[in-house]
Amino acid sequence: MLRTHTGPDTSPEDQKTTARRAAVVLACVSACTTLVIGFVAAINLAVPLLAASDLHPTSSELLWIVDGYVVVFACLVIPGGAAGDRFGRKGVLLTGLFTVAAGAALSALAPTVAVLLAGRVLTGVGAALVLPNCVGILVHATPAEHRGRALAVWASVSGIGGMVGNVGGGALLTGGSWRTLFLAVVLVALACALGAAIAVPHSSRHERGLDPAGTLLFVAAAVALLVAVIEGPERGWTSAFVATAFALCAALTAVWLAVELRVRHPMLDPRLFRNPSWPRRASAWSSRSLPTSACSTSTPRCCSTAAASACSAPDSASSR
């Protein structure tokens, strides 16, 4: 078991060995973090190739291809961390990395848009298992006196992950098809899994509830909202379909709030929002981390939206 602290009886040589091992763990979890965050930005660059591919996706399907990963990723991050606490962070991290690889492989070989979307969702599930457990593993593996610096390095890597995705994705897509990007993710995910299997120590487990009901309701509400937002421009914001999606989102959110206020271990306790210090902490975190993420993802995201809207232009022009 890797020691996470040094005491007065620890020899200088042991301290150096522990520090070296912690540095290897930091490098490993940083690579895993870069993979799952960079993929958010990289997929945006593939939208023009996807629009012109033999899959012939519609504009709304293109948006689903881009957003499916992000929505599942964001909704399952908290449950992914809870799973690591309960079943062991190393095992859940490895499961997440293999799931990312499997989802990316499914997307790379997808013969239809539906299969591609399924692969994107599966990859998002894997990413949600990877990211929160990287933090827990890093805290567990780093001596207390070096923990602050290690977390600062990891946070910096998280911030520049989108930029790495833009650069790496652009390089892969310049001379190849969109499938090349997904195949590269498979290889990187497997390499990260190999590194984690060797370098990451095991951690203790905790009897923490997973709140499956709250998780499912939260994901369903988010998906309903995304359906309304994506389908609104095509079907009309006042159409029955979009109005129903918005109403379903509101209803599911209300049920989610009721459930979370009653369970012993909620996925996300709504009472946190009553804490006066919580908004200040969230704002402080956002001011530090969001500018870099926005610079690395907002421009490609806007481009993907424009490309999704324009992908049907040739068809409409030809019809005239």
Side-chain angles (χ1 to χ4, degrees), residues 45-152:
L45 303 177
V47 168
L49 294 177
L50 283 165
S53 69
D54 55 357
L55 298 181
H56 304 296
T58 64
S59 59
S60 61
E61 287 173 342
L62 281 172
L63 291 177
W64 277 112
I65 291 170
V66 172
D67 292 334
Y69 171 81
V70 180
V71 170
V72 175
F73 186 2
C75 290
L76 296 183
V77 161
I78 296 176
D85 291 339
R86 182 162 186 175
F87 302 113
R89 298 186 186 99
K90 180 176 182 177
V92 174
L93 173 65
L94 291 173
T95 300
L97 289 169
F98 286 125
T99 304
V100 168
L106 182 62
S107 297
L109 302 174
T112 64
V113 172
V115 176
L116 176 57
L117 285 173
R120 291 287 289 161
V121 170
L122 184 60
T123 308
V125 173
L129 297 177
V130 170
L131 185 64
N133 290 290
C134 285
V135 185
I137 287 169
L138 185 60
V139 170
H140 172 74
T142 307
E145 61 269 24
H146 301 304
R147 197 165 293 157
R149 183 172 59 185
L151 288 172

Side-chain angles (χ1 to χ4, degrees), residues 276-303:
S277 64
W278 187 88
R280 292 195 299 270
R281 293 177 181 176
S283 298
W285 176 86
S286 298
S287 66
R288 291 195 300 267
S289 61
L290 289 184
T292 303
S293 298
C295 290
S296 59
T297 60
S298 60
T299 299
R301 182 67 182 84
C302 292
C303 291

Side-chain angles (χ1 to χ4, degrees), residues 6-241:
T6 57
D9 297 330
T10 305
S11 67
E13 187 62 30
D14 288 341
Q15 293 181 16
K16 291 180 180 178
T17 301
T18 301
R20 284 196 296 268
R21 291 175 178 173
V24 173
V25 172
L26 174 59
C28 181
V29 299
S30 295
C32 296
T33 301
T34 301
L35 169 66
V36 297
I37 293 180
F39 201 24
V40 176
I43 188 62
N44 291 287
L45 303 177
V47 168
L49 294 177
L50 283 165
S53 69
D54 55 357
L55 298 181
H56 304 296
T58 64
S59 59
S60 61
E61 287 173 342
L62 281 172
L63 291 177
W64 277 112
I65 291 170
V66 172
D67 292 334
Y69 171 81
V70 180
V71 170
V72 175
F73 186 2
C75 290
L76 296 183
V77 161
I78 296 176
D85 291 339
R86 182 162 186 175
F87 302 113
R89 298 186 186 99
K90 180 176 182 177
V92 174
L93 173 65
L94 291 173
T95 300
L97 289 169
F98 286 125
T99 304
V100 168
L106 182 62
S107 297
L109 302 174
T112 64
V113 172
V115 176
L116 176 57
L117 285 173
R120 291 287 289 161
V121 170
L122 184 60
T123 308
V125 173
L129 297 177
V130 170
L131 185 64
N133 290 290
C134 285
V135 185
I137 287 169
L138 185 60
V139 170
H140 172 74
T142 307
E145 61 269 24
H146 301 304
R147 197 165 293 157
R149 183 172 59 185
L151 288 172
V153 172
W154 178 85
S156 300
V157 170
S158 301
I160 66 174
M163 294 183 181
V164 174
N166 284 335
V167 174
L172 288 167
L173 294 169
T174 298
S177 76
W178 59 270
R179 299 181 189 271
T180 306
L181 176 63
F182 291 99
L183 291 174
V185 170
V186 173
L187 297 177
V188 174
L190 292 177
C192 288
L194 177 60
I198 296 172
V200 171
H202 290 280
S203 60
S204 58
R205 303 182 181 185
H206 307 280
E207 291 299 325
R208 177 182 174 182
L210 297 180
D211 188 19
T215 300
L216 290 175
L217 286 168
F218 187 79
V219 173
V223 171
L225 178 61
L226 187 63
V227 167
V229 171
I230 289 179
E231 298 295 333
E234 287 194 0
R235 295 176 181 261
W237 294 106
T238 59
S239 66
F241 182 89

